Amino acid sequence: MAIRSKATAAVASAAAMTLFAGTALAASPGAPGAGDPYFPFYGNGGYDVSHYDIRLNYTPSGDQLSGTTTILAKATQDLTQFNLDFLLKVKSVRVNNAPASFVSDGGELTLTPRGGVRKGQDLTIVVTYADSPSTVKDRNGFTAWTKTADGALAIGEPEIASWWFPSNDHPTDKATFDVNVAVPNGVEAISNGTFLGTTRQINGYTRWNWRSAKPQATYLTFLTIGQFEVRQSTAPNGQPVVNAYSDRLGANADSARASVERTPEVTEFLADNLGPYPFEAQGGVVTPDLGYALENQTRSTYDGGFFRRGANTYVVAHEIAHQWFGDSVSVHHWRDIWLNEGFASYAEFLWSEHVGEGTAQENADFVYDSYPADSEFWNVLPGDPGASNVFHGAVYDRGALAVHALRVAVGDEKFFEVLRTWVAEKKYSDATIEEFTALAERISGQQLDQLFQTWLFTKGKPAEAPGRAADASRSLSVAAEPKSRAKIQLTHELLAAHR
């Protein structure tokens, strides 16, 4: 019996060695990109991330960032090596507790774990690093990290993560996040999600702790460090609200507060139209250093310039609408950016109707008439703008006209049913324009190919403004300007700085 057991064990061991050898022969490096046609090196292949634990220290005076990011992931194929997107100087890497060799090259951090990785294997990846992020440039000579007079901003689209944490940097691989950053006492460090409080350290630093419990894209994960007034409150739906205002806003400070403090009200209005707010917290950050606004998940960031003409709730409506269109439902490829910007821009039309400063139709007429037929504006296609035009004004303005054209074609009842169904079915995932078109046709019962072809994929100015009454006056070269247009135009001028 004992001899037979040993023989059986030997056969089993030999079979296992043969299987391992076969697996090793089948293993290959993970792809250095996620396959995005606009940005082929964004993201990586071979694994799927579930969580990031980012634990950092930052010294504003010298722009010194150091710390560790722990990544929980699962291999989706047999791997000999795999990549993370990262630009800073790496000290060490461990994969499943064993040291791994690594090479950094132009934003690609290539890891070679001992013995390789099997498909389906759980991965714990620990990267320790230190650098001065504002001095680090990508392969195009660009620096996304902004050093400010009192701290720093890690905010950007379509990428920012590579300047402060290693990641699989593409919206198709979302994860949950813990962000913990120690800064000198008296300095604030603000990020996404729920605020878990501060921890006073013995070295004159305070650690700020944040948690995002819902799936979150890497570019929507942000960090703002500096001197801020931080206001905490509770929204009518019971969610925590954290707003932060830079001490350097000057004359824009009060108008910024009069806008961003209305975040729960705007969120409530949009939820009535789009369905339940998809995240666990709300808020906003205002700083004079950004130059544009970005829909960081749960906590958008606004440049103080949006409020230089007084309160501006239109930019708030735009960025909060992104919580549904862009954050919860993200682009599958960056070509699908209309699904983000067209709908966020249309939210400004909806807010204008709501506050009595111009109907969506009046706004659509004015936008349509504002661009002459020979304007280059009409030659940028919102449905496929190209990598250099992802944030072109046409994606926003013509994109909003496309949304209004859909509303006119299917009627309000079906239109809002399409929007609510879309964000419910695609919640916490990513999607394409083609999928949205199919859903709109399914719910409306109409063939909509020509509508989307005209407004998203055909160069030149369409023959008519969407929904304009047949008897509309032709004596005016431009439709009457709605009261909301000045604030909406200011919003889009500053958003254009994102290009």
Side-chain angles (χ1 to χ4, degrees), residues 349 363-385 389 392-402 405 451 453-466 468 477:
F349 290 13
N363 274 281
D365 287 346
F366 189 82
V367 170
Y368 176 87
D369 288 343
S370 295
Y371 295 97
D374 60 355
S375 171
E376 187 60 27
F377 169 89
W378 297 107
N379 291 326
V380 176
L381 304 179
D384 192 4
N389 285 321
H392 191 278
V395 177
Y396 293 73
D397 283 345
R398 186 173 178 176
L401 294 181
L451 182 152
Q453 185 65 35
T454 297
W455 288 99
L456 297 181
F457 298 105
T458 301
K459 291 185 177 182
K461 187 172 184 175
E464 295 289 346
R468 172 174 276 160
S477 60

Side-chain angles (χ1 to χ4, degrees), residues 419-436:
L419 301 193
R420 287 190 289 267
T421 303
W422 175 253
V423 297
E425 291 187 356
K426 296 294 185 178
K427 189 175 183 179
Y428 307 139
S429 64
D430 56 84
T432 66
I433 292 174
E434 289 74 19
E435 289 174 312
F436 181 84

Side-chain angles (χ1 to χ4, degrees), residues 108-249:
E108 294 291 339
L109 177 62
T110 304
L111 314 184
T112 304
R114 293 180 181 177
V117 174
R118 293 176 182 270
K119 180 179 180 180
Q121 184 174 351
D122 291 322
L123 299 173
T124 301
I125 307 155
V126 181
V127 183
T128 302
Y129 48 98
D131 213 333
S132 178
S134 66
T135 67
V136 177
K137 297 181 179 181
D138 66 10
R139 56 171 55 91
N140 297 313
F142 175 70
T143 300
W145 177 278
T146 301
K147 187 181 184 304
T148 67
D150 55 3
L153 302 177
I155 299 169
E157 182 185 12
E159 61 174 339
I160 181 58
S162 291
W163 280 268
W164 67 291
F165 67 95
S167 70
N168 191 16
D169 195 13
H170 195 271
T172 52
D173 193 4
K174 298 182 180 182
T176 57
F177 284 79
D178 282 313
V179 176
N180 307 277
V181 182
V183 292
N185 295 342
V187 175
E188 285 73 45
I190 302 151
S191 192
N192 311 75
T194 303
F195 180 44
L196 301 182
T198 59
T199 306
R200 187 64 67 94
Q201 301 186 171
I202 62 174
N203 61 350
Y205 278 61
T206 298
R207 184 167 293 281
W208 292 69
N209 305 293
W210 303 88
R211 172 166 292 173
S212 296
K214 304 296 184 183
Q216 183 169 287
T218 47
Y219 83 93
L220 296 170
T221 306
F222 84 105
L223 177 63
T224 297
I225 297 170
Q227 300 286 334
F228 287 84
E229 177 201 5
V230 179
R231 293 186 174 187
Q232 298 185 64
S233 60
T234 302
N237 67 356
Q239 290 185 333
V241 180
V242 179
N243 295 324
Y245 305 92
S246 170
D247 291 351
R248 296 180 291 107
L249 290 177

Side-chain angles (χ1 to χ4, degrees), residues 267 270-279 324 328 420 423-424 427-428:
T267 301
L270 290 173
D272 288 341
N273 288 279
L274 304 178
Y277 178 69
F279 301 119
W324 287 266
S328 180
R420 287 190 289 267
V423 297
K427 189 175 183 179
Y428 307 139

Side-chain angles (χ1 to χ4, degrees), residues 227-452:
Q227 300 286 334
F228 287 84
E229 177 201 5
V230 179
R231 293 186 174 187
Q232 298 185 64
S233 60
T234 302
N237 67 356
Q239 290 185 333
V241 180
V242 179
N243 295 324
Y245 305 92
S246 170
D247 291 351
R248 296 180 291 107
L249 290 177
N252 296 329
D254 286 340
S255 54
R257 293 183 181 92
S259 308
V260 177
E261 288 299 308
R262 294 178 68 182
T263 291
E265 176 193 352
V266 178
T267 301
E268 186 177 278
F269 164 74
L270 290 173
D272 288 341
N273 288 279
L274 304 178
Y277 178 69
F279 301 119
E280 71 273 29
Q282 302 177 30
V285 179
V286 188
T287 172
D289 304 295
L290 188 59
Y292 56 92
L294 187 62
E295 61 273 16
N296 304 310
Q297 190 161 305
T298 71
R299 193 154 294 110
S300 299
T301 302
Y302 310 88
D303 185 84
F306 284 100
F307 313 104
R308 66 174 182 251
R309 298 179 189 169
N312 180 1
T313 51
Y314 289 98
V315 67
V316 177
H318 182 105
E319 302 306 332
I320 294 177
H322 274 309
Q323 303 301 313
W324 287 266
F325 287 91
D327 294 14
S328 180
V329 186
S330 298
V331 295
H332 182 70
H333 291 137
W334 283 102
R335 164 194 174 273
D336 301 301
I337 190 65
W338 172 71
L339 293 172
N340 292 14
E341 300 303 344
F343 288 88
S345 296
Y346 196 72
E348 298 168 58
F349 290 13
L350 296 177
W351 182 250
S352 178
E353 284 189 331
H354 177 67
V355 298
E357 294 188 343
T359 66
Q361 186 62 57
E362 290 168 342
N363 274 281
D365 287 346
F366 189 82
V367 170
Y368 176 87
D369 288 343
S370 295
Y371 295 97
D374 60 355
S375 171
E376 187 60 27
F377 169 89
W378 297 107
N379 291 326
V380 176
L381 304 179
D384 192 4
S388 62
N389 285 321
V390 168
F391 303 110
H392 191 278
V395 177
Y396 293 73
D397 283 345
R398 186 173 178 176
L401 294 181
V403 178
H404 190 65
L406 174 64
R407 182 181 181 181
V408 171
V410 304
D412 277 13
E413 181 179 352
K414 292 297 184 182
F415 174 74
F416 287 106
E417 183 182 351
V418 168
L419 301 193
R420 287 190 289 267
T421 303
W422 175 253
V423 297
E425 291 187 356
K426 296 294 185 178
K427 189 175 183 179
Y428 307 139
S429 64
D430 56 84
T432 66
I433 292 174
E434 289 74 19
E435 289 174 312
F436 181 84
T437 301
L439 177 73
E441 290 183 336
R442 171 166 63 86
I443 290 177
S444 68
Q446 297 184 34
Q447 179 62 253
L448 299 170
D449 285 352
Q450 189 57 51
L451 182 152
F452 289 111

